[in-house]
Amino acid sequence: MTTPSLETPVNSANPLDLIEEMVIANDWPFQRAADDEILVEIGGRWTDYRLFFVWQEEASALQFCCRLDAKVPPKARSAINDLLARINERLWVGHFDVSAEEEAIMFRHAVLLRGVAGVAQEQVEDIVELALVECERFYPAFQLVIWGGKSADEAMTAAILDPMGEA
């Protein structure tokens, strides 16, 4: 899995400037259509992830979403909601949900920056790394429910197993 890094700190009132520098330093494909949003694509072990960063200057808030390449069909929605509840109670930072518009699973987190000079490089690195670790950890559980017809309990049992070694 890719771990984000940036060798030279960037100082800016808009945290997306720092994020853009980190994305360029890691050679990740991205789009920055406006000053207040950036979309980044990162390949993972199980799937590709789309990272969305949105800066809301009025609230001094940086919103982060990591979209998994997994759509929830209507027949799996109830079981996915059960799985989301079980997963979210295990998370210290951020949460998973299903977007209403796209029916896609997302990891979300927001950082409030009122009263501070800006977001620290380490904060951005931690947010991205945490999201990717959690998405990679729980992606198979989501797939077990969506495509395998498993219950939330069965999927969680599989997700929390720590395999030894590699096959």
Side-chain angles (χ1 to χ4, degrees):
M1 176 180 1
T2 305
T3 302
S5 66
L6 178 62
E7 294 186 18
T8 309
V10 174
N11 293 323
S12 172
N14 185 340
L16 298 185
D17 295 337
L18 179 133
I19 292 165
E20 183 174 353
E21 292 295 323
M22 183 180 81
V23 166
I24 290 168
N26 285 283
D27 200 28
W28 294 332
F30 75 99
Q31 293 178 337
R32 187 163 179 189
D35 285 343
D36 62 350
E37 62 184 51
I38 188 168
L39 165 67
V40 182
E41 296 188 22
I42 296 178
R45 178 178 177 194
W46 304 109
T47 188
D48 293 333
Y49 299 105
R50 298 187 83 177
L51 312 180
F52 299 94
F53 295 90
V54 179
W55 171 239
Q56 188 179 47
E57 188 172 5
E58 299 79 29
S60 295
L62 176 64
Q63 182 182 35
F64 170 77
C65 301
C66 179
R67 181 177 183 253
L68 286 70
D69 189 18
K71 291 203 178 218
V72 179
K75 67 178 181 151
R77 187 62 189 250
S78 179
I80 284 293
N81 286 338
D82 287 345
L83 181 60
L84 289 171
R86 286 172 173 76
I87 289 172
N88 286 335
E89 68 186 13
R90 293 178 170 272
L91 300 179
W92 281 57
V93 176
H95 69 278
F96 282 98
D97 66 17
V98 176
S99 69
E101 292 176 10
E102 300 174 22
E103 294 294 321
I105 298 169
M106 294 192 171
F107 177 88
R108 297 182 190 267
H109 181 63
V111 178
L112 300 174
L113 299 170
R114 190 171 72 99
V116 297
V119 68
Q121 170 186 325
E122 294 83 4
Q123 285 176 293
V124 175
E125 291 170 355
D126 288 348
I127 291 167
V128 172
E129 184 175 5
L130 173 76
L132 294 176
V133 165
E134 298 298 1
C135 288
E136 290 284 292
R137 177 179 172 199
F138 291 111
Y139 185 83
F142 291 124
Q143 291 302 310
L144 283 171
V145 170
I146 293 170
W147 300 112
K150 301 294 183 188
S151 70
D153 286 334
E154 292 170 314
M156 275 305 289
T157 299
I160 60 174
L161 291 176
D162 290 324
M164 303 294 277
E166 291 190 26

